[in-house]
Amino acid sequence: MSFVEAEIKKFESSNGSGTNLFYQALEEVIYSIAPLLESDPKYTEHAILERLVVPDRMIEFKVTWLDDNNKIQVNTGYRVQFNNALGPYKGGLRFHPTVNEGILKFLGFEQILKNSLTGLPIGGAKGGSDFDPKGKSDFEIMKFCSAFMTELHKYIGPRMDVPAGDIGVGSKEIGYLFGEYKKITSTYEGVLTGKPFIFSGSLMRPEATGYGVVYFTETMLDIENKEPLQGKVCTVSGAGNVALHAIEKLYQVGALPVSCSDSQGTIHDPRGVNLDLLKQLKLEKRQSLELYLETHPEAKYIPVEEYPEGGHAVWDIPCYAAFPCATQNELTELDAQNLITNGCVSVTEGANMPSTPDAIELLQTHNVCFGPAKAANAGGVAVSEFEMSQNASMSTWTFEEVDEKLKLTMQRICKRVALTAKDYGVEGNYVDGANISGFKKVADAMIAEGI
Ligand code: NDP
């Protein structure tokens, strides 16, 4: 049995949900890069795939902290340093009760190829904790972040590993983590990105992923000779950092975003969602989306209990372009079928691996333009790297400068992915184009660096 077959077999027989996600990500890449491996034996001779699928190291540690009732709480912290062939390890921290080794392995693996696609000198990593920030006071979040950094600081550094945010980790949490790092090490250095602008953060980092997703979509639609987003109804899932900034950019380009969702339900507002209200509810106060109806009783709220079995209400809303921006596997085969039936022309992934393999296959066979996460949501990590550059040179770029660089980066990624797909005989397949292009660059660097 070949290595590839053996790895796929492991995926098929694995049980834990986190582990399954890793093999889901791996299987997609293995199938995509087959034409590259076949066209050049050097990748097999240098055992690149075997080396790439095993993280350089996985760090697991205990995080002990005191809650507001002076009760001791214990969580687990992780950092998966996957590959640094192209530059220092780089990837977000996720604070969510579902976080485990397997989920972080999937996210870290995806991050290697995503970071490679940006063309910037950054390796791949991911980390986080099973800590749930929901319902915690600011003081509790601060105490948790301090305790987390007490351990994490040993393994990170501006030229070693530079974490950022992800689900549950925004600029507030990054601020607390940075404060603790500074205290422990007595250094003021760019060891984290996504810092608030007031102390060496980059302008536009919060907006970067969501804006980038829209820039990517505009480029993809143009390459595929489809009509642009102006005047088109769009559906977005999620109501966090990525989703709300995708909605913001959609309005800026003249589109009409009519939905968003959180873990409890979906809002459908056919006249266009009220972005200011959403920011207030979800980013500032972390409240339920249902409260949207207090201001907009004419909108519709669909709680998760009313979703179709095996599907999600948000993908049942007719749209020209869809943007899954919440979490993994939130767009299923049934959802894909609904999108196709309703005439959807493009799906772009803002979240990491939000579409199931069956959904992707169905969308692609029906010629729906499909922008995969590792290419389409790379805007966040690209602006993180811009933040590292600004920190290293002690300079500050304007909002317009960062936005222009982001736009160019997303256009470049999209064109490169499309061109690679064409070169390898799979024109229009952005999944294969992204996997081949991202893999090739890392693989060539690994070969050049020796074992
Ligand atoms: P946030 O924590 O800011 O927001 C996540 C949002 O998704 C919340 O509104 C949450 O709802 C909602 N959500 C969670 N689970 C579900 C579900 N099952 N169904 C519907 N909604 C759900 O995270 P981000 O916006 O930062 O991240 C979203 C995705 O984008 C993740 O996959 C992340 O890995 C990816 N990503 C993020 C980047 C960034 O720069 N932040 C960069 C690249 C990728 P609730 O409020 O109820 O919890």
Side-chain angles (χ1 to χ4, degrees):
M1 187 188 292
S2 75
F3 170 80
V4 168
E5 285 163 348
E7 285 303 310
I8 289 174
K9 195 144 190 67
K10 267 196 248 166
F11 161 65
E12 285 165 354
S13 60
S14 63
N15 289 314
S17 64
T19 314
N20 269 331
L21 289 171
F22 174 60
Y23 284 103
Q24 182 180 329
L26 182 58
E27 193 173 31
E28 178 196 289
V29 172
I30 290 171
Y31 278 117
S32 281
I33 62 173
L36 176 70
L37 300 187
E38 278 161 19
S39 71
D40 195 334
K42 74 178 176 196
Y43 299 110
T44 310
E45 282 162 18
H46 286 265
I48 295 300
L49 196 52
E50 287 89 335
R51 288 159 59 195
L52 196 66
V53 299
V54 182
D56 289 349
R57 64 195 64 79
M58 294 194 59
I59 301 148
E60 181 175 336
F61 49 91
K62 182 173 67 181
V63 186
T64 318
W65 56 283
L66 268 187
D67 69 16
D68 285 348
N69 299 315
N70 280 333
K71 218 172 144 234
I72 297 169
Q73 299 290 340
V74 184
N75 288 96
T76 306
Y78 305 90
R79 187 72 181 160
V80 182
Q81 295 177 333
F82 229 113
N83 184 287
N84 63 353
L86 295 176
Y89 300 108
K90 181 99 199 79
L93 297 171
R94 178 177 288 195
F95 291 169
H96 195 271
T98 57
V99 163
N100 59 32
E101 246 182 55
I103 285 186
L104 295 177
K105 248 181 103 181
F106 129 63
L107 290 165
F109 181 68
E110 292 279 290
Q111 196 81 42
I112 305 171
L113 303 189
K114 179 187 312 194
N115 293 2
S116 164
L117 281 171
T118 65
L120 301 167
I122 38 182
K126 202 77 191 188
S129 171
D130 56 1
F131 170 75
D132 187 359
K134 264 189 206 156
K136 304 288 190 302
S137 69
D138 264 8
F139 206 58
E140 287 177 319
I141 291 175
M142 187 178 76
K143 283 192 286 186
F144 174 80
C145 288
S146 300
F148 183 84
M149 187 50 86
T150 305
E151 192 62 26
L152 185 71
H153 86 275
K154 299 169 194 165
Y155 312 106
I156 60 176
R159 292 186 183 275
M160 190 197 300
D161 182 354
V162 186
D166 190 73
I167 291 179
V169 180
S171 60
K172 179 172 74 183
E173 290 76 15
I174 292 287
Y176 294 149
L177 290 163
F178 184 76
E180 188 63 21
Y181 179 88
K182 192 165 61 77
K183 197 157 72 186
I184 298 172
T185 62
S186 299
T187 53
Y188 197 105
E189 53 190 12
V191 71
L192 290 156
T193 57
K195 299 184 289 294
F197 180 64
I198 192 162
F199 59 90
S200 53
S202 175
L203 284 169
M204 252 205 80
R205 175 60 189 89
E207 292 86 353
T209 307
Y211 280 22
V213 168
V214 177
Y215 290 146
F216 185 95
T217 308
E218 285 184 307
T219 314
M220 179 170 70
L221 291 171
D222 187 44
I223 294 172
E224 299 302 321
N225 293 317
K226 305 283 186 210
E227 288 179 32
L229 292 169
Q230 281 84 353
K232 298 288 194 287
V233 170
C234 298
T235 48
V236 178
S237 68
N241 181 53
V242 178
L244 297 187
H245 290 110
I247 289 172
E248 186 163 277
K249 184 49 75 180
L250 283 170
Y251 274 126
Q252 287 173 14
V253 303
L256 185 70
V258 296
S259 73
C260 66
S261 64
D262 65 11
S263 52
Q264 305 307 313
T266 293
I267 285 288
H268 179 200
D269 192 339
R271 296 176 316 168
V273 289
N274 179 336
L275 183 60
D276 289 339
L277 177 60
L278 288 174
K279 282 187 175 176
Q280 217 181 72
L281 287 176
K282 297 305 295 184
L283 296 186
E284 288 166 29
K285 300 185 187 156
R286 289 191 175 167
Q287 291 175 316
S288 163
L289 269 185
E290 199 171 359
L291 296 175
Y292 186 91
L293 296 189
E294 286 181 5
T295 313
H296 292 284
E298 71 287 356
K300 196 170 168 202
Y301 178 75
I302 309 129
V304 280
E305 305 83 62
E306 292 175 21
Y307 285 8
E309 203 182 323
H312 301 78
V314 68
W315 310 127
D316 211 5
I317 302 168
C319 68
Y320 179 76
F323 297 85
C325 296
T327 191
Q328 57 268 5
N329 288 338
E330 51 150 327
L331 196 160
T332 62
E333 192 178 8
L334 174 69
D335 296 324
Q337 187 55 62
N338 286 336
L339 286 167
I340 292 162
T341 306
N342 288 327
C344 173
V345 163
S346 109
V347 174
T348 314
E349 297 187 319
N352 282 313
M353 211 166 73
S355 319
T356 63
D358 290 343
I360 298 174
E361 202 183 327
L362 194 63
L363 292 166
Q364 288 180 325
T365 49
H366 284 80
N367 295 322
V368 175
C369 301
F370 183 80
K374 62 173 72 74
N377 75 15
V381 75
V383 172
S384 273
E385 198 276 346
F386 299 167
E387 186 174 333
M388 289 162 74
S389 296
Q390 291 170 79
N391 289 168
S393 59
M394 305 201 61
S395 59
T396 305
W397 303 348
T398 63
F399 192 95
E400 290 70 27
E401 275 177 292
V402 181
D403 195 18
E404 190 51 32
K405 284 178 201 287
L406 170 68
K407 192 171 185 174
L408 288 174
T409 303
M410 296 315 297
Q411 290 171 342
R412 204 176 50 229
I413 292 174
C414 189
K415 287 176 189 164
R416 195 171 132 205
V417 165
L419 201 64
T420 306
K422 196 172 172 195
D423 286 349
Y424 283 86
V426 281
E427 192 169 359
N429 188 331
Y430 288 67
V431 174
D432 289 353
N435 284 328
I436 295 171
S437 179
F439 176 88
K440 190 172 182 313
K441 187 160 187 230
V442 181
D444 289 343
M446 286 170 73
I447 291 171
E449 289 169 9
I451 54 172

